[in-house]
Amino acid sequence: MHLLGYIASLLIGVSLGLIGGGGSILTMPLMVYLFGVSPVTATSYSLFVVGSASLVGAAKQYKQGFVNIRIALLLAAISAAIVFLTRKWLVPAIPEHIATIHGFVITENWLTMILFACLMVFSSVSMMRNKSVPSTGIADRKISTGKMILFGAGIGLVTGLLGAGGGFLLIPALVLLLHLPMKEAIGTSLLVIALNSLIGFTGNLYDKGIDWQLLLTVTSLAIAGILAGSYLNRKIPAGGLKKGFGWFVLAMGIYILVKEFAGAL
């Protein structure tokens, strides 16, 4: 199982390098099902792995001119603060036993996995939708500051609670709302994800029981994967690959929903 986990760690980075997202969607199930980490702890591990790999990928994309620093810092300033606050105070405040409804016990771990699976299904639909948008550039369109603040806060809350969600929420917005070219949207997304995730992880930095050996091993493999993915990004059309990956994420989301509901009954 650990060998499969290490292979999947490479795929986390490849996904981030190719389509600017997908890393956290793979990291959470990887940690829970292949390495036996609890779901809540896995959200913390996901932030570190994806944040570190995304930072390396963003640096590479920046050198190629595919990162819009202004947009990245604006979104990250809002969302990273929400991620940190969520990890530092909201997540620890959630009780292990949330409720019992007609004998059905809802625990923090179970609810985390269900919400994460729902996010996977939503993300897969977002990936598989083909929307072509003219790359007119951010200067051609004024964006409401209020909408940007709400959008950044929403990304921060989802990322903080589930350790995922940044890429698949960011890229459609950067392309459809801000009209960034796809390659620039991917590079900008990587920088926002890196800042969100690593700042969010500092909220759990001093938690006891962090398996640093596992965390650093998976992170190193993910970084190797993102370097390979960034190279392949110049060789492979992202459209078909993104759609295929979307079907894989959909299948994974449905599998988690079925597994978690069956286990709770």
Side-chain angles (χ1 to χ4, degrees), residues 95-180:
E96 290 187 16
H97 178 271
I98 296 174
T100 301
I101 303 174
H102 300 296
F104 188 88
V105 179
I106 299 176
T107 65
E108 181 186 15
N109 284 339
W110 182 86
L111 185 61
T112 299
M113 293 305 296
I114 293 299
L115 291 175
F116 190 86
C118 291
L119 177 65
M120 292 183 79
V121 173
F122 171 81
S123 299
S124 67
V125 173
S126 174
M127 278 187 287
M128 290 186 285
R129 291 170 65 184
N130 281 324
K131 285 192 175 181
S132 58
V133 179
S135 300
T136 56
I138 185 66
D140 294 344
R141 185 172 181 181
K142 292 182 179 179
I143 304 299
S144 164
T145 302
K147 287 183 179 179
M148 290 287 286
I149 291 173
L150 288 174
F151 180 68
I155 291 174
L157 183 61
V158 173
T159 304
L161 283 173
L162 303 178
F168 294 129
L169 295 174
L170 276 167
I171 291 177
L174 292 173
V175 174
L176 300 174
L177 299 181
L178 305 185
H179 286 195
L180 291 185

Side-chain angles (χ1 to χ4, degrees), residues 29-45:
L30 161 73
M31 289 295 181
V32 173
Y33 295 127
L34 298 183
F35 290 117
V37 178
S38 73
V40 175
T41 302
T43 62
S44 177
Y45 283 16

Side-chain angles (χ1 to χ4, degrees):
M1 296 296 283
H2 280 202
L3 178 60
L4 289 175
Y6 294 139
I7 294 172
S9 301
L10 281 169
L11 295 178
I12 289 169
V14 172
S15 169
L16 283 165
L18 279 173
I19 59 177
S24 49
I25 290 292
L26 292 174
T27 307
M28 175 71 161
L30 161 73
M31 289 295 181
V32 173
Y33 295 127
L34 298 183
F35 290 117
V37 178
S38 73
V40 175
T41 302
T43 62
S44 177
Y45 283 16
S46 176
L47 290 173
F48 183 83
V49 173
V50 174
S52 301
S54 296
L55 187 61
V56 172
K60 191 172 180 65
Q61 294 286 338
Y62 177 74
K63 290 180 181 178
Q64 297 171 4
F66 293 138
V67 177
N68 189 313
I69 295 292
R70 183 170 71 88
I71 295 299
L73 293 181
L74 176 62
L75 283 173
I78 301 163
S79 54
I82 300 297
V83 175
F84 177 82
L85 294 174
T86 300
R87 297 304 302 181
K88 186 68 176 178
W89 285 290
L90 180 57
V91 171
I94 299 173
E96 290 187 16
H97 178 271
I98 296 174
T100 301
I101 303 174
H102 300 296
F104 188 88
V105 179
I106 299 176
T107 65
E108 181 186 15
N109 284 339
W110 182 86
L111 185 61
T112 299
M113 293 305 296
I114 293 299
L115 291 175
F116 190 86
C118 291
L119 177 65
M120 292 183 79
V121 173
F122 171 81
S123 299
S124 67
V125 173
S126 174
M127 278 187 287
M128 290 186 285
R129 291 170 65 184
N130 281 324
K131 285 192 175 181
S132 58
V133 179
S135 300
T136 56
I138 185 66
D140 294 344
R141 185 172 181 181
K142 292 182 179 179
I143 304 299
S144 164
T145 302
K147 287 183 179 179
M148 290 287 286
I149 291 173
L150 288 174
F151 180 68
I155 291 174
L157 183 61
V158 173
T159 304
L161 283 173
L162 303 178
F168 294 129
L169 295 174
L170 276 167
I171 291 177
L174 292 173
V175 174
L176 300 174
L177 299 181
L178 305 185
H179 286 195
L180 291 185
M182 178 57 76
K183 286 187 178 295
E184 189 175 338
I186 289 173
T188 304
S189 170
L190 286 173
L191 181 56
V192 177
I193 292 169
L195 294 173
N196 281 353
S197 300
L198 292 175
I199 292 172
F201 179 76
T202 61
N204 299 108
L205 186 60
Y206 298 107
D207 288 357
K208 296 179 180 178
I210 293 179
D211 188 341
W212 284 104
Q213 182 177 353
L214 171 63
L215 201 51
L216 293 176
T217 300
V218 171
T219 300
S220 298
L221 291 169
I223 289 173
I226 202 169
L227 293 175
S230 296
Y231 173 78
L232 293 173
N233 182 265
R234 303 195 298 269
K235 307 289 184 181
I236 301 174
L241 183 68
K242 189 175 181 181
K243 199 167 186 177
F245 189 76
W247 282 109
F248 172 74
V249 171
L250 177 62
M252 284 289 295
I254 293 172
Y255 169 78
I256 292 173
L257 285 172
V258 172
K259 180 178 175 62
E260 295 299 323
F261 274 107
L265 295 175

